[in-house]
Amino acid sequence: MSEKVIWDPLRRKNVPLTPEERVRQWFISVMNRELHIPLYMMMSEVGLKYGEGPVRKEFRADIVAFDRRPGPAMVVECKRPDIRLGNEVLEQALRYNAVLDVRYIAITNGKETYFFHKGGAEGFKMMDRLPLYEDIISQKETY
């Protein structure tokens, strides 16, 4: 029996169609079609390294969107639809932010999606929705 696959336009290859991958590919299309983030300004399964020596941790961010600085502007953590989006999921995205230093975070399981914006010294605050890409990249630094 052959494994089901889905085309990942960011990695430019077929990848196994897991429940989490289905959510990741859905959200890539949302980011592209609804937020108008060009595919060439996004990466999926981005390897990150935090710390040095024996305390060094390696992570993989599901989706990272870049601005024209160049640099990362948003990180997205995707979960399977049966995973609850609680504090532990947000904390995972915040760990990625310790490396990336983004202004926006999104967490999604395909049924629920939450957006956060970095608001200076106060840290990240929940938003109703993410702004369009042009608004994301044109904002002045708030930190």
Side-chain angles (χ1 to χ4, degrees), residues 63-76:
I63 307 168
V64 176
F66 295 86
D67 63 18
R68 295 184 190 124
R69 284 185 285 165
M74 179 170 67
V75 65
V76 181

Side-chain angles (χ1 to χ4, degrees), residues 46-51 55-61 96 99:
V46 178
L48 306 172
K49 295 175 180 143
Y50 182 73
V55 295
R56 182 173 159 166
K57 303 275 185 194
E58 294 191 18
F59 307 107
R60 283 203 174 275
Y96 301 155
V99 176

Side-chain angles (χ1 to χ4, degrees), residues 1-66:
M1 184 167 157
S2 131
E3 176 179 55
K4 288 187 178 182
V5 295
I6 189 169
W7 177 255
D8 181 341
L10 305 184
R11 289 179 273 181
R12 295 186 179 107
K13 66 179 184 178
N14 284 320
V15 295
L17 181 58
T18 63
E20 182 177 315
E21 191 64 47
R22 185 181 305 273
V23 171
R24 182 177 13 254
Q25 294 308 317
W26 164 75
F27 203 72
I28 288 169
S29 71
V30 167
M31 292 170 70
N32 181 244
R33 285 185 288 112
E34 296 179 24
L35 302 178
H36 307 288
I37 300 175
L39 291 174
Y40 64 86
M41 296 301 278
M42 292 186 265
M43 290 178 66
S44 58
E45 288 288 297
V46 178
L48 306 172
K49 295 175 180 143
Y50 182 73
E52 304 269 334
V55 295
R56 182 173 159 166
K57 303 275 185 194
E58 294 191 18
F59 307 107
R60 283 203 174 275
D62 286 312
I63 307 168
V64 176
F66 295 86

Side-chain angles (χ1 to χ4, degrees), residues 94 97 103 116-126 142-143:
L94 289 169
N97 184 57
R103 294 181 307 273
F116 303 87
H117 176 256
K118 190 172 192 177
E122 306 89 48
F124 282 89
K125 294 191 180 255
M126 189 179 285
T142 58
Y143 51 96

Side-chain angles (χ1 to χ4, degrees), residues 65-85:
F66 295 86
D67 63 18
R68 295 184 190 124
R69 284 185 285 165
M74 179 170 67
V75 65
V76 181
E77 178 57 26
C78 301
K79 295 295 184 190
R80 299 184 325 247
D82 62 325
I83 300 292
R84 188 179 148 278
L85 296 180

Side-chain angles (χ1 to χ4, degrees), residues 35-36 68 131-139:
L35 302 178
H36 307 288
R68 295 184 190 124
L132 298 175
Y133 184 62
E134 287 303 318
D135 296 329
I136 290 171
I137 63 175
S138 69
Q139 284 196 354

